[in-house]
Amino acid sequence: MNWYRSFGITEIVFITAFLVFYMLYLTRVIGIAKRLKTPFATVFIKLFLRTLYFALLLIAMLGPSFGGSKKEVKSIGKDIMICVDLSKSMDAYDIQPTRLEKIKHEMKKLVQAFNSDRIGVIIFGAEAFMQCPLTYDQNALNLFIETMNTSLVPASGTDFGPPLRMALKKLQDEAENASQAKSKVIILISDGEDFGEETNDIAKDIDQQDIKLFTLGIGTERGGNIYAGTGVKKDREGNAVLTKLNSSSLKSLANKTGGQYFEINETKNDISRLINTISKIEGELRDARYVDVTANKYIYFLAAAALLFALDILINIRTVRI
């Protein structure tokens, strides 16, 4: 027999209280019976009955489990690669506090929503770098997300090609057979300014592998300035640099791969829709095993105690006979 909880201080306190109060009760009853010179043996019938249902209550509290069976436990999940644009335009503050800080906050929601799936993070500008490989470790993911900033990548524009190529390669390396591709997802997060030339070719490769590519645009159409030191970033002519969300490139990329476009701007936040959409994708079977399971049978002991308690109330036994 197994127990849900171990015998501890709480049970000892209850038993001690029961013994102390019942001994006081017995002392009083027996004392009265002796003074009246009457029999008092029937008091022990009540003692036996009450001790029995008190013991049953204690057993129910401990949660007895017995009777075993085999249960199949399946581990099902997805592989999700998140590609995050860290070009200087992500420091724009048309989305408060900045585009990047907002994305970091929303990425933590993604990590929490898919805690049973493996998630990896790729950062990119003109080049791509693996920030965090595929992992189940939420603490590690959140740590890598928190440390992201635009100084981690070279400040030379934005190219969607390298991060998508790296994400595709990592997901292909993890796949054992072609049927698993449907459970693999790429999320591309950017303000949409793509200056690469190989994006379309890589999008075709992703589509051929039947991997879903979702794009998440961050920014506004009116645009925003970028902090630089104590002021805003300026071009060579001394004008403040204005960066705008280019949603058309992100929408086109999602459409080419059978994915979907989502957006975060000053009035809309599609992160919940993105989570719901990915949640509908069927995960792959990673592991299946049989485990021994037992059921907590406390209810039987509790029912028996309740029955004896009811009998104790209904049955009237004279403890002192006159």
Side-chain angles (χ1 to χ4, degrees), residues 284-298:
E284 69 184 51
L285 178 63
R286 301 191 187 280
D287 181 33
R289 63 184 185 278
Y290 287 90
V291 296
D292 293 323
V293 294
T294 56
N296 191 340
K297 299 296 196 304
Y298 78 94

Side-chain angles (χ1 to χ4, degrees), residues 83 122-129 158-169 194 196-199 202:
C83 304
I122 295 172
I123 56 175
F124 71 95
E127 303 175 50
F129 305 90
T158 306
D159 186 352
F160 292 165
L164 292 179
R165 179 70 71 189
M166 180 179 290
L168 178 60
K169 183 178 185 304
D194 179 25
E197 298 179 354
E198 299 182 358
T199 303
I202 298 170

Side-chain angles (χ1 to χ4, degrees), residues 79 81 167-175 184-186:
D79 285 342
M81 290 299 305
L168 178 60
K169 183 178 185 304
K170 293 299 180 182
L171 292 176
Q172 286 177 325
D173 290 344
E174 294 292 335
K184 300 187 181 299
V185 175
I186 298 175

Side-chain angles (χ1 to χ4, degrees), residues 238-257:
N239 299 316
V241 174
L242 185 68
T243 173
K244 300 180 180 180
L245 171 64
N246 181 8
S247 60
S248 58
S249 62
L250 292 168
K251 289 177 181 177
S252 174
L253 188 57
N255 291 334
K256 289 176 182 177
T257 58

